[in-house]
Amino acid sequence: MDDERGDPAARGTLSRVRTGLTPEMVVRRHGGTATWTQLAEHVTQHALRSALQAGLVLRAARGVYALPELPTAREVAARCGGVVSHLSAAEQHRLPLLLPPETASVTVPPNAHPPPRSDVVYRWRSLAPADVERRAAVTTPLRTVLDCAADLDRLEALAVADGALRLGLVHREDLLAAAVRRRRGRRAACWVAEHADGRAANPFESALRGLALSAGCTGFEPQVRIDAGRPARVDLADRRRRVVLEADSFEWHGDRRALRRDARRYDELVRAGWTVRRFAWEDVMLDQEWVIGVLRDVAG
């Protein structure tokens, strides 16, 4: 194995196969950049070298890897007479994303023949005038949320929908009504519309709530205020079962004072009769089966 002193992709040392994830998937699930230490938990050095040679992953620095820069979706759309859509549109609307996009997303008319590109995903759809912000050539926030719900992973789609509600770009009643009217992807769109919640603080928390829903746990509310000795606001809480879920990030616990404060807060919640479970970003994004299993044990 290697550490930050070396670049494993340049040497021939061995590494074990950890999971079925590809290097680009691991880098993306770490937010767009990852160190070799993070990659080595899931991929071999041979897989990393192959991804580098294919241009799927770039070496950003010694022992640090990143996703290649995507083309500007707006420029691609302008060339082929399409509109920016899906996660590219979500980015343009400044919606917080769970993960960086893998490709640029452009929706084109059914009779269009855009040049194929490996870094662009085209979708052939007829869009109503009300679905497009013509001056910017981008789908509206409502259409963007629905497209993401219909075509993307449900955790990513839920994060986009939560963000749109939180920022006031979409109203819940409009989202529910539009999801029911949708033809293609109606079931997935209705699931996202039903469970979207503007109280969610960030995409990480939305993903954890999405995994709870996948585990059959429907009682968790985001950003619940609990009086446990002193008032505490928790990421997710099931009031009936008295279970708290926390989406813990390193940035939030980046110093000793923050760590001590939150450790004490969690202990006070336990003293008050709440069950507390804390989940790291890496587990939520890279070991979802384990997270779902824990959630089923706790809230079953």
Side-chain angles (χ1 to χ4, degrees):
M1 301 302 293
D2 198 50
D3 58 23
E4 66 275 10
R5 294 172 294 181
D7 190 338
R11 302 205 307 273
T13 55
L14 296 177
S15 176
R16 296 186 302 236
V17 175
R18 302 299 182 115
T19 68
L21 297 173
T22 62
E24 58 271 27
M25 291 169 65
V26 176
V27 173
R28 182 170 181 260
R29 294 187 188 191
H30 274 286
T33 61
T35 65
W36 166 244
T37 300
Q38 292 170 326
L39 281 161
E41 296 183 20
H42 306 281
V43 304
T44 65
Q45 291 179 7
H46 173 73
L48 177 56
R49 284 194 295 271
S50 297
L52 287 167
Q53 292 171 1
L56 301 174
V57 172
L58 302 178
R59 186 184 289 105
R62 190 174 181 85
V64 180
Y65 303 90
L67 297 175
E69 186 175 347
L70 293 178
T72 302
R74 183 181 293 185
E75 294 177 358
V76 175
R79 291 195 192 102
C80 65
V83 299
V84 180
S85 63
H86 295 76
L87 288 184
S88 295
E91 279 192 313
Q92 197 158 318
H93 291 303
R94 300 184 183 277
L95 292 173
L97 303 183
L98 178 63
L99 296 168
E102 293 179 324
T103 56
S105 295
V106 175
T107 293
V108 297
N111 60 349
H113 300 283
R117 296 183 56 162
S118 61
D119 52 5
V120 178
V121 169
Y122 297 106
R123 291 180 173 87
W124 284 261
R125 309 272 167 78
S126 294
L127 296 175
D131 290 332
V132 180
E133 294 181 358
R134 288 296 173 186
R135 292 186 63 182
V138 60
T139 52
T140 63
L142 178 58
R143 176 71 193 215
T144 299
V145 170
L146 292 170
D147 284 343
C148 289
D151 296 321
L152 303 183
D153 173 87
R154 63 166 48 178
L155 300 189
E156 291 185 276
L158 187 62
V160 169
D162 284 354
L165 292 175
R166 182 169 61 251
L167 296 176
L169 298 180
V170 171
H171 298 293
R172 181 173 177 79
E173 296 78 10
D174 295 336
L175 179 58
L176 288 166
V180 170
R181 292 194 301 268
R182 191 178 178 97
R183 294 182 180 179
R184 191 196 54 78
R186 180 174 179 269
R187 182 175 180 180
C190 286
W191 185 93
V192 170
E194 178 183 351
H195 295 295
D197 196 321
R199 293 175 294 174
N202 54 65
F204 181 18
E205 181 187 300
S206 298
L208 180 56
R209 194 173 87 256
L211 289 180
L213 291 167
S214 296
C217 307
T218 58
F220 286 103
E221 303 173 52
Q223 296 299 306
V224 175
R225 187 179 178 88
I226 297 173
D227 188 2
R230 63 179 65 183
R233 186 175 297 278
V234 300
D235 291 337
L236 297 165
D238 184 326
R239 301 175 194 267
R240 183 176 66 84
R241 295 185 177 92
R242 296 181 69 81
V243 176
V244 166
L245 306 180
E246 288 286 279
D248 281 342
S249 64
F250 177 77
E251 290 78 8
W252 185 250
H253 303 99
D255 58 50
R256 295 295 303 178
R257 179 180 296 179
L259 178 63
R260 178 175 179 267
R261 177 196 66 213
D262 285 329
R264 186 160 186 164
R265 182 169 70 105
Y266 298 141
D267 289 341
E268 289 295 340
L269 286 166
V270 173
R271 288 182 69 189
W274 290 80
T275 298
V276 180
R277 291 294 181 267
R278 302 165 64 181
F279 298 92
W281 169 269
E282 289 80 3
D283 289 328
V284 170
M285 300 311 303
L286 295 167
D287 201 351
Q288 295 176 358
E289 290 185 6
W290 176 80
V291 173
I292 289 174
V294 172
L295 293 172
R296 284 175 174 160
D297 290 343
V298 171

